Amino acid sequence: MKSIKKIVLPVTLSASVLTLGACGNADNSGDTLVETKAGNVTSQDVLDKMGNNEVAQNAFQIVLNKVLKDKYDDKVDTKKLDKQVDKQIEQYGGKKKFEEALQQEKPGATLEDFKDSQKTAKYQEEFINDAVKVSDKEIEKNSKKGSHILIKVKSKDSKDGLSDDKAKEKAENILKQIKENPDEFNKIAKKETQDEGTKSKDGSLGYVLKGQMDEAFEKALFKLKPGETSDVVKSQYGYHIIKADKGEPSKKEKESLKEQYRQMKIQKNPKIIINAYKKLLDEYKVDYKDKDIKKSIEDNILNEEALQQQQMQAAQQQSAQ
């Protein structure tokens, strides 16, 4: 069964590997890269073989990395990040094995490239945190800790489910057990739930954010007071018995919820992050000297539809995995 929680994807405006691209109205022949008897190969020769969109995206990514580093370098503990990478290297069994793994994932990548990517990701995180504020009050209002028991209904995604009538009947019988023994919800969940993602956790979903769940499930969960259990609730997955769990999120859990909620805000309204990037570029007086690059960036990167398309493609890839 697909995850009951909806996918929340990190938002970035450009995630391509840095490659050479074409500049539509460059006015020089470029540096010589290769010399041969038959003639030299210049950087412009290579650029001319590529497309304007590629060079625009790569130019934008390089500029963005420089700007983010300048703005957030003093807020990011880069030494700590390097130590985290060193720990990963140790876990892999040494530098050689780690670099081999890097090469398998991305041919040509070096250890320094990897360390730089960790720092860039952190700069990006700092920027998004500044651009999209999420308060403790918002998290308190829009999150709830919950557990559930799921009895699946047979469908194309759930071949091992029951017929609708049988699933509902079974869920109602389980609810009777819970009403007779309310303190044994977790024990009954571990035995009866058909949600493999939460079975080993006694049915616990942890903290749920509004907008993450099936609408009927979410509506029922957020109506409950801590400790209360719902009646049988029908969702796209089957029949649920839902419990609102007691407790407050830890500092780490709250930060994770804020990050998820921030990404949900951006996915719902991409203009938030696009406008924040535009403001940042204005602050650093970014001036596009090439009209083709400028148009490509405006059309394909700093564009709401383009960002939504990236999100859709990322979601499809995530679902397929």
Side-chain angles (χ1 to χ4, degrees), residues 23-28 56 59 63 284-295 297-298:
C23 178
N25 56 341
D27 58 5
N28 59 67
V63 169
Y284 275 82
K285 303 186 185 303
V286 173
D287 183 15
Y288 306 105
K289 298 299 185 182
D290 185 296
K291 66 180 182 181
D292 292 332
I293 286 179
K294 181 178 181 181
K295 185 176 187 307
I297 288 172
E298 289 173 348

Side-chain angles (χ1 to χ4, degrees), residues 209 251-261:
L209 287 166
K251 184 178 179 180
K252 186 176 180 180
E253 286 171 328
K254 190 176 285 186
E255 286 306 310
S256 176
L257 287 169
K258 283 185 176 182
E259 176 58 24
Q260 292 177 62
Y261 195 64

Side-chain angles (χ1 to χ4, degrees), residues 68 72 75-76 121-131:
L68 291 175
Y72 293 105
K75 291 187 178 181
V76 172
K122 200 65 180 176
Y123 299 144
Q124 181 97 9
E125 183 183 315
E126 290 287 342
F127 167 72
I128 292 174
N129 289 351
D130 277 353

Side-chain angles (χ1 to χ4, degrees), residues 65-85 114-130:
N65 289 351
K66 287 178 180 290
V67 168
L68 291 175
K69 183 178 188 302
D70 184 84
K71 190 171 182 67
Y72 293 105
D73 199 42
D74 60 340
K75 291 187 178 181
V76 172
D77 189 343
T78 54
K79 289 182 180 179
K80 183 180 178 180
L81 291 176
D82 285 341
K83 285 179 181 178
Q84 289 174 352
V85 173
F114 182 77
K115 285 185 175 182
D116 285 344
S117 73
Q118 303 303 294
K119 293 166 189 172
T120 297
K122 200 65 180 176
Y123 299 144
Q124 181 97 9
E125 183 183 315
E126 290 287 342
F127 167 72
I128 292 174
N129 289 351
D130 277 353

Side-chain angles (χ1 to χ4, degrees), residues 95-106:
K95 183 179 176 181
K96 185 178 179 181
K97 288 185 178 180
F98 186 82
E99 287 180 330
E100 286 173 354
L102 273 182
Q103 289 294 320
Q104 288 178 358
E105 186 174 332
K106 182 182 168 185

Side-chain angles (χ1 to χ4, degrees), residues 297-311:
I297 288 172
E298 289 173 348
D299 291 348
N300 301 304
I301 300 176
L302 296 175
N303 177 282
E304 186 176 352
E305 289 183 8
L307 183 57
Q308 287 175 327
Q309 185 65 30
Q310 286 180 32
Q311 292 170 347

